[in-house]
Amino acid sequence: MKTTEDKAKELAQLMIDGKGSDVVCLDISGLNSWTDYFVIVTVSSSTQNQGLYKQIKDYIKNNDLEIHLTKRKSPDGDDWNLVDLGPIVIHMMSQQAREFYDLEKLWHAGKIIEL
């Protein structure tokens, strides 16, 4: 049976396979109570974002995960799309949003998981 870390790594690898760039898998389980892992990926277009989202949806069908719908503060824009799977949260971000929000620095106490 796969652990949550195994699933986070596999999802990160899916992002790499889908040509997402600068993919980071971050263990933040000891830092909060609402999720265990962030997968952060830079996407270059809305088309790539949609393709990666489809891969996530295909992956979760066989891996005991589900997408929890989130409310967006901004109704449009593709700068940052968050996919909440419960124990794993995937952040698909444009290069500009990634640099501005700098989640790796914000969550610097998390452990980077080697892929």
Side-chain angles (χ1 to χ4, degrees), residues 2-9 36-37 65 87-88:
K2 293 179 190 175
T3 66
T4 302
E5 182 174 330
D6 292 337
K7 294 174 187 179
K9 286 180 180 180
D36 296 324
Y37 295 91
L65 292 169
I88 303 165

Side-chain angles (χ1 to χ4, degrees), residues 34-74:
W34 50 272
T35 194
D36 296 324
Y37 295 91
F38 279 170
V39 174
I40 307 166
V41 57
T42 302
V43 295
S44 58
S45 68
S46 61
T47 303
Q48 182 183 35
N49 190 5
Q50 292 168 0
L52 292 175
Y53 185 75
K54 183 182 180 320
Q55 289 184 1
I56 292 166
K57 284 176 35 177
D58 290 344
Y59 177 86
I60 66 172
K61 289 176 187 174
N62 300 317
N63 287 282
D64 197 31
L65 292 169
E66 64 180 84
I67 294 175
H68 302 271
L69 297 178
T70 59
K71 297 209 181 219
R72 293 180 62 132
K73 291 182 182 176
S74 173

